[in-house]
Amino acid sequence: MELSTERLRLDALKESDAPALFGYRADPEVSRYQGWRPETLGEVECFIRNQSARSAPSPGEWFQRAIRLAEDGSLIGDLGVCLSADGQAEFGITLAPAAQGRGYARETLHGLFGELFGRLDVHRVHASVDPRNAASMALLKTVGMRQEAHFRESLQFRGEWVDDVIFALLAREWRELHGRGAGFAASR
Ligand SMILES: CC(C)(COP(=O)(O)OP(=O)(O)OC[C@H]1O[C@@H](n2cnc3c(N)ncnc32)[C@H](O)[C@@H]1OP(=O)(O)O)[C@@H](O)C(=O)NCCC(=O)NCCS
């Protein structure tokens, strides 16, 4: 799965991405609300090697794409997608601090939803977020997702009980918002 948006390209992670990926994923601010905080470059290299065997999402497995600037191919973040066998999808997105606040996350999700609801015929997309993660809460609202649930202290995370908010979007809601095929710039 490769996608292009106006300013971005989403494609496979490469071995040469490891230092940049480690740089932002190991940043405590970036990984504050995320389950994965790599401790070594080797851990990231191993992650990329495991992903390199996958060219398309398959049910039950997290499928990770690089988010790159179209103009020079530099890595600015990554996007994970997990499909379920019944036609649903969950995702998680991470941007390097220098790339945040420029609308790249919104543009990435717009491209992703076009692909999921278009070519992959997914019925429902959802995401799970810690409500203290203000940037993520804002992002999910701005792309048209609905808050469906707020579970109080339902997860144990780094030694504390934390809340979990679920956002979701149905294929028909996406089409109502954007028209059939919206955000689907190119894919192969
Ligand atoms: C979550 C994340 C990807 C959002 O990236 P971003 O660069 O802020 O996203 P965008 O620039 O596309 O902005 C999306 C919207 O959120 C708003 N926003 C961003 N940060 C905000 C904040 N702290 N408070 C309120 N709104 C905020 C933007 O103004 C924009 O709204 P608009 O479309 O109405 O203008 C980024 O903060 C990140 O990588 N965080 C660390 C990893 C993480 O926690 N990921 C979440 C896992 S799902």
Side-chain angles (χ1 to χ4, degrees):
M1 183 176 96
E2 293 190 7
L3 298 177
S4 295
T5 67
E6 196 183 333
R7 295 176 295 170
L8 304 172
R9 202 173 75 227
L10 274 61
D11 60 15
L13 285 162
K14 301 179 289 200
E15 265 180 63
S16 56
D17 292 323
L21 189 72
F22 180 58
Y24 66 81
R25 279 290 195 151
D27 180 332
E29 270 307 301
V30 171
S31 58
R32 185 159 171 217
Y33 301 110
Q34 293 186 306
W36 187 43
R37 180 184 290 166
E39 288 183 2
T40 63
L41 180 62
E43 203 182 314
V44 170
E45 288 168 344
C46 182
F47 174 78
I48 292 175
R49 264 198 307 280
N50 286 342
Q51 281 292 324
S52 65
R54 302 175 191 169
S55 59
S58 61
E61 288 186 337
W62 279 95
F63 178 71
Q64 213 77 17
R65 296 280 86 180
I67 305 173
R68 303 183 193 282
L69 290 182
E71 60 185 24
D72 62 5
S74 58
L75 184 78
I76 60 160
D78 60 276
L79 172 73
V81 185
C82 186
L83 297 182
S84 62
D86 63 356
Q88 302 195 54
E90 184 177 1
F91 67 87
I93 180 169
T94 308
L95 290 184
Q100 293 180 13
R102 298 170 182 217
Y104 290 139
R106 190 171 31 147
E107 189 171 321
T108 298
L109 295 188
H110 207 258
L112 174 71
F113 292 173
E115 174 77 350
L116 292 177
F117 293 135
R119 198 172 65 84
L120 296 177
D121 201 21
V122 162
H123 172 67
R124 175 178 176 269
V125 166
H126 64 106
S128 157
V129 57
D130 185 314
R132 295 171 298 176
N133 190 345
S136 188
M137 293 283 288
L139 170 68
L140 301 179
K141 285 176 194 161
T142 207
V143 294
M145 297 184 80
R146 283 174 292 98
Q147 183 177 320
E148 288 196 332
H150 185 147
F151 298 107
R152 305 278 176 200
E153 299 187 16
S154 61
L155 295 174
Q156 282 237 16
F157 185 69
R158 296 193 182 124
E160 61 170 337
W161 284 104
V162 299
D163 288 9
D164 185 27
V165 171
I166 303 298
F167 280 86
L169 184 66
L170 300 174
R172 67 169 179 276
E173 293 171 329
W174 170 252
R175 290 187 195 108
E176 278 161 22
L177 280 172
H178 299 283
R180 195 168 287 273
F184 183 61
S187 92
R188 58 181 183 275

